[in-house]
């Protein structure tokens, strides 16, 4: 049985991890488009401010202070939606915990805590949503990552958690399809997104953390999520770079390994030293209604690839090719820029040497 999803303005949408980044952007956008929203996160102050903001703009919203690592908290989210609106139509699992560092230098306890949020929290949410939606119909939307398909060095634990998310999501989809349940199950796989992700991450590197390009705006993910809330979809890559990386990893894994090792390792390190005393969302709530991270590089506000894929106006092969071409062009431009910078440094060096030589000749 296929899912017959309602228009967004007739839906109740649950969003976890709604106090910052993708979750916050999705909740605001859903409310702007007429949905009633139930927002959940650990920060009550941020959630109260968000719901007041939505109500003052004419929308309907309620909040639940919840840590998705606690199954009883997740059950409370569903109970609140039932009490306030009679249930929900779409459940979006966004809440995530972030880690940077080589695997051998990252405490196993931190990895376990990350899995509690990224895997068990999402699993609890999905099962709670299934319990209601398998009878009334609706959508379960899980936010994975390009790291669901392709592991990223220095984010190995995060990658492992997102691989688990993909496996769970695919299995849940098949079981619901086999039961004939009118539920759409979608996995959203963003590329790097300009959210406070690096600032909120627990960092075990010797340098401050940053995001590898290409980087997209959080609105690109929110639009993809809300499209999937109205139109059943299996999975959605947000950003052509995400699809290109997944395709290259599938067809030329060794090549992508080399690209990762040579480019993605240094591109995740900033020049500054990390702030060891800064709060991180592994150990505490860090959501403060910040959608973006203020990255100082180009941020793509849209993704032609994602829009085309969700309109289903291109074949799967063409979409994979488009993503791969985008990644190749990016890698080429990155290499060219590095070459130009190297050339500039060499030219400046030659000029310095020539200047010193001229000075010495004049003195002689």
């Amino acid at each position: 049985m296929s899912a017959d999803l309602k228009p967004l303005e007739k839906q109740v949408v649950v969003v976890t991890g709604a106090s910052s980044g993708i979750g916050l952007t999705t909740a605001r956008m859903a409310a702007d488009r007429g949905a009633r929203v139930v927002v959940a996160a650990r920060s009550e102050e941020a959630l109260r401010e968000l719901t007041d903001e939505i109500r003052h703009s004419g929308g309907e919203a309620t909040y639940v202070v919840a840590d998705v690592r606690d199954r009883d908290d997740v059950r409370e989210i569903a109970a609140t939606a039932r009490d306030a609106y009679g249930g929900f139509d779409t459940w979006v699992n966004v809440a995530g915990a972030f880690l940077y560092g080589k695997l051998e230098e990252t405490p196993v306890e931190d990895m376990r805590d990350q899995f509690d949020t990224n895997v068990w929290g999402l699993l609890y949410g999905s099962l709670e949503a299934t319990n209601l939606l398998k009878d009334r119909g609706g959508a379960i939307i899980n936010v994975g990552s390009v790291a669901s398909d392709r592991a990223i060095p220095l984010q190995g634990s995060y990658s492992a958690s997102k691989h688990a998310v993909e496996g769970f999501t695919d299995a849940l989809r098949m079981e619901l399809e086999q039961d004939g349940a009118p539920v759409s199950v979608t996995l959203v796989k963003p590329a790097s997104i300009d959210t406070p992700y690096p600032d909120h991450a627990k960092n075990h590197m010797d340098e401050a953390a940053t995001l590898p390009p290409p980087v997209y705006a959080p609105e690109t993910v929110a639009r993809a999520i809300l499209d999937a809330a109205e139109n059943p979809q299996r999975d959605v890559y947000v950003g052509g770079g995400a699809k290109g990386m997944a395709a290259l990893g599938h067809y030329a894994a060794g090549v992508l390994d080399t690209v990762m090792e040579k480019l993605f390792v240094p591109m995740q390190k900033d020049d500054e030293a990390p702030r060891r005393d800064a709060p991180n969302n592994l150990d505490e709530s860090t959501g403060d209604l910040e959608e973006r991270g203020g990255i100082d590089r180009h941020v793509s506000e849209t993704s032609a690839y994602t829009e085309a894929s969700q309109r289903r106006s291109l074949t799967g092969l063409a979409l994979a090719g488009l993503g791969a071409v985008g990644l190749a062009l990016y890698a080429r431009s990155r290499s060219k820029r590095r070459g130009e910078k190297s050339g500039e440094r060499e030219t400046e060096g030659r000029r310095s040497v020539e200047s010193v030589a001229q000075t010495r000749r004049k003195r002689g």
Side-chain angles (χ1 to χ4, degrees), residues 213-225:
V215 180
Y216 298 84
E219 288 82 359
T220 60
V221 189
R223 286 192 293 269
I225 289 171

Side-chain angles (χ1 to χ4, degrees), residues 58 88 108 115 125 139 157 221 256 265 293 306:
F88 52 86
V108 171
F115 266 66
S157 177
V221 189
L256 187 55
V265 168
T306 301

